[in-house]
Amino acid sequence: MPVSASSPTAADGGGFGVASLRTIAPAAYVASFADTLPHLSSLPRTAALVANPASFAASPTSPALRELAGHFHTLTSDPLFQHLRTDPRSAFVYKSLTTQDDEDGEDYSYPPGLIPAVPDDPDPIPAADEDPASTPPPPARIARLFHIAGRHAQRPLSLVLQRRTSVALTSGPLPLDVKCSIVQASQYGAGVFLNTVGTYDAVRITNKEYLNNVWHRFGFFAPLNILADASCARTCPTFSPGRPTNTAFLSAAHSLSCSSCGSLKRHNAVAYGPLADHFKSQDFDFIKEHTVLESFGKKAVDGLLRNPYLSSAQTALDVTITCPACPSYVSSAAAACNTRCTDAAEAAKHLKYDQIATTAGVLFSVAAFTTYGGWGSEFRNKYVEPFYKSELKEAKAKGGDGWEVLNRKSRFVRHVAAVICRENSRMLSNAARMRPAGSRVVARGRSPGERA
């Protein structure tokens, strides 16, 4: 996608994360006032001025308070403000502004100054006992600004404005493939590698790996720098030498899906790396058995999950990684729903395995991801969110702040992102290395005969 189109949007909204200062200025204005209101209320000269927040909109003496009230109304009346309700890093601000009880009540917040390093979900999954469709959202009250002082309110309020930009982009005249790229790149987990600092081996990536994935995520169709007569590996059934090439190959979408380039190795790296570690932390036995269902239709899955402490049932798990840039995923549905690719992958796996698993006497689950790093809803809902939610609740019940739990979740999410990032880059390198002699490959900006 053109960087000019995606750069103003948040990284978790499918963009480059280069925020427009003009766009987020109202959020910064409201958040800075929220941080200073307690101080202003303690000063003799300004205490009376801020004593009644409900009157800010009609303040006869302070244009600043009138502007504050206007920005507050604009932000909190935007339908996208409701997305903060279940966003892990924004829930405190949302609940503080919308609670109708002036008592502090239950401590549902993260500790002051703590912003868990987990990706946001532009399409958040509600809690099991929550039905947003049947629960009208409570109105935000400007009097509650005092309750978000020192709570980094600019970030969640800025998300409202940046996501509005994303919605405007995907509703405008952009080509369908660009819209699909923006939307699919906003899925939970997609693009986490962009902000990951390689402070330990599990999440460390090279400059080449980083750049290859930036090229892929933002649709710069040039990580391979190939010309129209280039081809894939000799063993590739689609674009081997002598076969015609097309945009699926030129955009690297083919190379990131091709078994000849190593898609199975990427798949196994995710399954038997971060996922295996995660299941171990939940006391699951994850049996790496490719042929657990072999006697039932010769179908292989990635492993068998067992946790006798929870249930006697066993679950066959299959991992799949899809490439949203593939032509088969470019559709109006993918431009409207950021889980469209993983939803389709999950449905295909269930169609293939459900009956076989039933015959084998086991359950069946899918762990679906995208080459952007996006996570499918099924795996998150079954094996990630419930586990960490329970751990967080237990930690707080013991008097802790939950930081350790949130940090472990963050490390897991970033580990998955780094593995997919590294394996994507390896596949692109394989595609280039396995090309037969004679395929023309040039560096960006040079003609075929020009020296580097």
Side-chain angles (χ1 to χ4, degrees):
M1 73 189 75
V3 71
S4 58
S6 64
S7 60
T9 62
D12 63 358
F16 207 73
V18 182
S20 163
L21 296 182
R22 176 174 294 182
T23 297
I24 66 172
Y29 193 84
V30 172
S32 62
F33 248 110
D35 286 342
T36 56
L37 278 175
H39 183 63
L40 293 174
S41 65
S42 68
L43 299 177
R45 294 181 60 184
T46 55
L49 191 65
V50 298
N52 183 16
S55 66
F56 285 177
S59 173
T61 58
S62 176
L65 290 181
R66 293 197 297 271
E67 187 172 2
L68 168 64
H71 288 323
F72 181 85
H73 175 75
T74 300
L75 286 165
T76 58
S77 62
D78 192 313
L80 293 172
F81 177 71
Q82 300 305 320
H83 283 224
L84 304 185
R85 182 180 184 180
T86 50
D87 181 291
R89 292 181 289 183
S90 306
F92 175 80
V93 169
Y94 176 87
K95 292 180 181 180
S96 293
L97 294 178
T98 59
T99 184
Q100 302 304 297
D101 186 355
D102 284 329
E103 297 297 325
D104 285 338
E106 180 185 359
D107 181 15
Y108 45 73
S109 70
Y110 293 111
L114 171 62
I115 301 182
V118 294
D120 299 310
D121 190 352
D123 187 16
I125 300 173
D129 58 349
E130 225 175 70
D131 182 5
S134 61
T135 307
R141 295 189 298 149
I142 196 169
R144 299 288 303 177
L145 277 178
F146 286 88
H147 293 264
I148 61 172
R151 296 287 185 157
H152 305 283
Q154 178 178 332
R155 186 194 165 280
L157 294 178
S158 293
L159 284 178
V160 175
L161 300 172
Q162 290 181 296
R163 286 172 180 168
R164 184 194 297 165
T165 303
S166 297
V167 170
L169 281 173
T170 55
S171 302
L174 290 175
L176 181 61
D177 62 330
V178 175
K179 291 182 180 180
C180 289
S181 294
I182 294 174
V183 172
Q184 295 308 306
S186 72
Q187 188 175 15
Y188 180 94
V192 166
F193 75 93
L194 289 170
N195 302 312
T196 296
V197 179
T199 53
Y200 53 98
D201 288 344
V203 299
R204 194 167 289 126
I205 58 177
T206 66
N207 288 343
K208 179 181 178 181
E209 290 164 348
Y210 182 88
L211 290 174
N212 275 341
N213 282 271
V214 167
W215 283 330
H216 170 51
R217 186 175 187 265
F218 295 105
F220 303 153
F221 294 167
L224 299 181
N225 296 311
I226 53 180
L227 296 181
D229 62 348
S231 60
C232 191
R234 292 181 177 87
T235 56
C236 176
T238 309
F239 297 118
S240 58
R243 292 177 179 270
T245 192
N246 65 19
T247 55
F249 182 59
L250 296 177
S251 68
H254 169 76
S255 300
L256 289 172
S257 306
C258 181
S259 58
S260 295
C261 296
S263 59
L264 179 60
K265 186 174 181 181
R266 177 184 60 195
H267 162 287
N268 288 344
V270 173
Y272 305 134
L275 296 200
D277 292 345
H278 173 70
F279 287 127
K280 184 178 180 180
S281 72
Q282 295 188 53
D283 296 321
F284 274 96
D285 293 324
F286 184 40
I287 304 171
K288 303 172 185 179
E289 180 57 77
H290 283 283
T291 58
V292 67
L293 301 180
E294 183 177 3
S295 60
F296 300 93
K298 301 293 183 181
K299 303 294 185 182
V301 293
D302 293 308
L304 196 63
L305 288 172
R306 294 189 302 208
N307 187 338
Y309 300 104
L310 297 178
S311 171
S312 60
Q314 300 182 96
T315 301
L317 181 77
D318 204 52
V319 178
T320 182
I321 302 176
T322 63
C323 179
C326 287
S328 58
Y329 287 118
V330 177
S331 65
S332 56
C337 175
N338 67 359
T339 63
R340 177 69 181 90
C341 295
T342 50
D343 288 347
E346 290 167 356
K349 288 290 186 181
H350 279 288
L351 183 64
K352 179 179 179 181
Y353 284 113
D354 277 355
Q355 185 56 52
I356 298 169
T358 300
T359 305
V362 299
L363 303 175
F364 178 70
S365 289
V366 183
F369 301 90
T370 71
T371 53
Y372 296 155
W375 294 43
S377 301
E378 180 176 332
F379 178 69
R380 282 188 63 204
N381 285 340
K382 285 186 177 181
Y383 299 108
V384 181
E385 300 301 340
F387 172 70
Y388 286 108
K389 184 177 181 180
S390 175
E391 290 270 294
L392 185 62
K393 184 177 181 179
E394 182 179 344
K396 289 192 173 185
K398 293 179 179 179
D401 57 19
W403 166 249
E404 183 183 350
V405 176
L406 295 169
N407 186 48
R408 280 194 285 111
K409 181 180 180 182
S410 170
R411 290 171 73 95
F412 174 39
V413 171
R414 294 181 187 280
H415 191 185
V416 172
V419 170
I420 292 177
C421 184
R422 286 194 290 263
E423 294 301 312
N424 282 347
S425 183
R426 180 189 56 77
M427 290 178 68
L428 293 176
S429 296
N430 285 347
R433 186 175 64 251
M434 294 188 298
R435 266 191 225 105
S439 290
R440 293 175 13 183
V441 184
V442 297
R444 173 186 283 278
R446 297 191 183 98
S447 63
E450 186 179 348
R451 290 186 62 185

